[in-house]
Amino acid sequence: MQVLLLLAAVGLCGAQYNSNTQAGRTSIVHLFEWRWADIALECERYLAPNGFGGVQVSPPNENIIVTNPFRPWWERYQPISYKLCTRSGNEDEFRDMVTRCNNVGVYIYVDAVVNHMCGAAGGSGTHSTCGSYFDAGNENFPAVPYSGWDFNDGRCYTSNGEIQNYGDMYQVRDCRLSGLLDLAQEKDYVRTKIAEYMNYLIDIGVAGFRIDAAKHMWPGDIKAFLDKLNTLNTRWFPSGTKPFIYQEVIDLGGEPITGSQYFENGRVTEFKYGAKLGTVIRKWDGEKMAYLKNWGEGWGFVPSDRALVFVDNHDNQRGHGAGGASILTFWDARLYKMAVGFMLAHPYGFTRVMSSYRWTRNFVNGQDANDWIGPPSNSDGSTKSVTINADTTCGNDWVCEHRWRQIRNMVIFRNVVDGEPFSNWWDNDSNQVAFGRGNKGFIVFNNDDWYMNVNLQTGLPAGTYCDVISGQKEGNACTGKQVYVSGDGTANFQISNTDEDPFVAIHVDAKL
Ligand code: QV4
Ligand code: CA
């Protein structure tokens, strides 16, 4: 009995690593800067029918309005209060989105910006997305309320109050990140305000959180506010379910702050993943796909069940944050599809797909001077809706990578092979590689500069399979290439290095 009580207690306080996605749904998509009304529609018309498990939404809480430059995307990382109104919509629209997405089994993950408030130079007034008054210079945010006592100034010892040296973990946690007013999470009052905000969202029905700038908070302080959280809304989730937590900790090695310091709270973003995969697929630094044989922990990544993985994110697709030039994005579509395909086929980590908007880049000395440009918007700054073209792609400069056939079909592939082991690896000691997932799926890449023609053991039952990259199964036919698996599980694969997409993927749900 005592043991049972103890286990129950551990269960209630313990960290949340499970994504809370429905069984058979294994990925989430970040619908960066989308309006709540558009996300609700997308859950119903596209994400649910195609097996997506959830959506990471942009920060829903009130933020500063920045007009110079005009309405940059990053103004949403400068909170003014925890009221739910932003360019994505108001509280009613947020509630409607959560309800409608949850009702079709696609869950909502909120980007929680709780390390800081707006920048110190944010001024005073009501230039905020719900019109709440604030005074950044005096650290006064009456709509929370937070006042000067609630910030870390007394704990930061750098000359200008900024983080100056990432080699000093005290600075990184207690000083200002890019001038952003740094909240004192060691105060119970601040912990309580953060937990009240998160609980408000939990009660509406969200399934988890990305913890923004987790690296800039002490793991124990994060634990303290997470311990105050409710379990999820029982209208959609089993009673006692804890929110999924993934913490943004950029750990590329070489700093005192590591991802593993945050495991007690939940998963961490594994930034080495996209940086390395981009390097390999670009064939930089002498890398080749054959080296991916031991991808995952073998590359020095955090354990698979502690990792949230992605090829690119909203920061490093435009040169912010970490990863550098190797990061693949929709701008390099051919290589990007291969990278996302590899990620979704490989068992390592919990996967997040990026969905972006297009902007006009302006490279000055290798840096994009337009890295600030916000979402497609009207002249009054309001965000444009996501229109859907006849061919199912998106209009109004929304890229909708998650709707690209190759990516969408690999999201489905990952669902089909869920739980199956990494198997039947093959490589040519160069950039032609293949691997399977038990007897459910198989994928083959040709990233060399010559034709590929090989017979490989797939592990799959005999039959004719539709390649889900060049097409898919529709009715009783394939719209793209076909692959014939013989009785011994082998199949012939021919992939030209000049193919639009030089990779092939088959799985048991796309068998004729
Ligand atoms: C400017 C100067 C500062 C000066 C300050 C004075 O540059 O030197 O001290 O004014 O007030 C914006 C501007 C930045 C400006 C700052 C404050 O870009 O120039 O400082 O506002 O006004 C996003 C953007 C940032 C942006 C921030 C807030 O990337 O450029 O800053 O939003 O609007 C590290 C962290 C990691 C972080 C990553 C980008 O470890 O946690 O950098 N990633 C997350 C988010 C990211 C977000 C933040 C954290 C902050 O993913 O999108 O930053 O919430 O690696
Ligand atoms: Ca901090």
Side-chain angles (χ1 to χ4, degrees), residues 115 152 172-175 182-183 185 216-217:
N115 170 63
N152 264 334
V172 176
R173 268 76 175 253
D174 293 338
C175 295
D182 204 53
L183 285 166
Q185 289 88 5
H216 303 281
M217 296 183 273

Side-chain angles (χ1 to χ4, degrees), residues 334 338 432 444-454 481 493-504:
R334 190 168 183 266
M338 273 199 273
Q432 299 179 351
V444 188
F445 295 86
N446 178 12
N447 198 27
D448 272 324
D449 298 327
W450 58 87
Y451 196 82
M452 174 180 194
N453 182 355
V454 285
K481 296 178 187 169
F493 292 92
Q494 300 197 25
I495 304 175
S496 167
N497 52 307
T498 60
D499 278 357
E500 181 192 342
D501 296 305
F503 64 117
V504 165

Side-chain angles (χ1 to χ4, degrees), residues 18-70:
N18 297 325
S19 65
N20 293 330
T21 50
Q22 286 196 336
R25 296 182 183 265
T26 58
S27 299
I28 61 173
V29 56
H30 181 195
L31 297 180
F32 177 50
E33 284 282 4
W34 281 44
R35 295 161 63 249
W36 309 148
D38 289 325
I39 294 177
L41 287 168
E42 192 71 352
C43 286
E44 295 168 343
R45 71 189 166 199
Y46 199 87
L47 300 176
N50 286 295
F52 286 81
V55 180
Q56 179 184 311
V57 300
S58 284
N61 65 297
E62 179 173 30
N63 61 265
I64 193 170
I65 291 178
V66 173
T67 47
N68 184 22
F70 187 67

Side-chain angles (χ1 to χ4, degrees), residues 359-405:
W359 73 98
T360 306
R361 295 192 293 183
N362 176 23
F363 286 108
V364 181
N365 301 323
Q367 278 252 45
D368 179 9
N370 283 348
D371 65 347
W372 58 272
I373 291 182
S377 50
N378 305 299
S379 52
D380 65 356
S382 60
T383 301
K384 285 188 182 172
S385 63
V386 179
T387 53
I388 307 298
N389 302 320
D391 65 358
T392 78
T393 61
C394 297
N396 274 346
D397 276 330
W398 298 97
V399 182
C400 288
E401 296 93 315
H402 68 286
R403 281 175 169 254
W404 294 2
R405 182 191 63 239

Side-chain angles (χ1 to χ4, degrees), residues 433-445:
V433 304
F435 64 94
R437 295 293 302 279
N439 58 4
K440 294 274 180 65
F442 196 72
I443 190 164
V444 188
F445 295 86

Side-chain angles (χ1 to χ4, degrees), residues 63-243:
N63 61 265
I64 193 170
I65 291 178
V66 173
T67 47
N68 184 22
F70 187 67
R71 307 307 302 270
W73 62 269
W74 45 252
E75 67 172 41
R76 295 185 74 166
Y77 290 89
Q78 301 198 28
I80 295 299
S81 82
Y82 300 130
K83 294 180 186 168
L84 302 184
C85 40
T86 59
R87 276 207 278 183
S88 287
N90 61 29
E91 176 166 344
D92 286 344
E93 291 163 314
F94 184 83
R95 287 178 178 275
D96 182 59
M97 168 188 72
V98 172
T99 300
R100 288 165 60 191
C101 290
N102 282 357
N103 284 347
V104 294
V106 179
Y107 299 142
I108 300 297
Y109 300 84
V110 163
D111 194 347
V113 184
V114 298
N115 170 63
H116 53 262
M117 300 299 279
C118 69
S124 70
T126 54
H127 47 296
S128 50
T129 52
C130 310
S132 297
Y133 173 83
F134 66 98
D135 180 352
N138 289 303
E139 299 182 328
N140 188 23
F141 296 88
V144 178
Y146 285 136
S147 67
W149 301 105
D150 301 319
F151 293 85
N152 264 334
D153 308 83
R155 282 174 199 84
C156 169
Y157 295 102
T158 61
S159 51
N160 59 357
E162 293 276 312
I163 299 168
Q164 295 173 344
N165 173 11
Y166 274 79
D168 174 352
M169 66 165 81
Y170 293 89
Q171 288 187 26
V172 176
R173 268 76 175 253
D174 293 338
C175 295
R176 293 176 182 172
L177 167 65
S178 308
L180 300 162
L181 298 173
D182 204 53
L183 285 166
Q185 289 88 5
E186 56 283 313
K187 286 191 62 182
D188 188 60
Y189 176 75
V190 173
R191 295 171 176 177
T192 300
K193 285 293 153 190
I194 292 171
E196 281 174 6
Y197 166 53
M198 295 174 79
N199 279 332
Y200 197 74
L201 296 165
I202 286 172
D203 294 348
I204 289 174
V206 310
F209 300 92
R210 167 189 187 264
I211 309 292
D212 179 69
K215 177 180 190 171
H216 303 281
M217 296 183 273
W218 293 94
D221 289 340
I222 295 177
K223 181 175 190 305
F225 65 73
L226 294 181
D227 283 348
K228 295 177 187 282
L229 296 188
N230 299 341
T231 52
L232 299 188
N233 188 321
T234 53
R235 180 169 164 196
W236 296 285
F237 303 96
S239 119
T241 307
K242 289 172 292 179

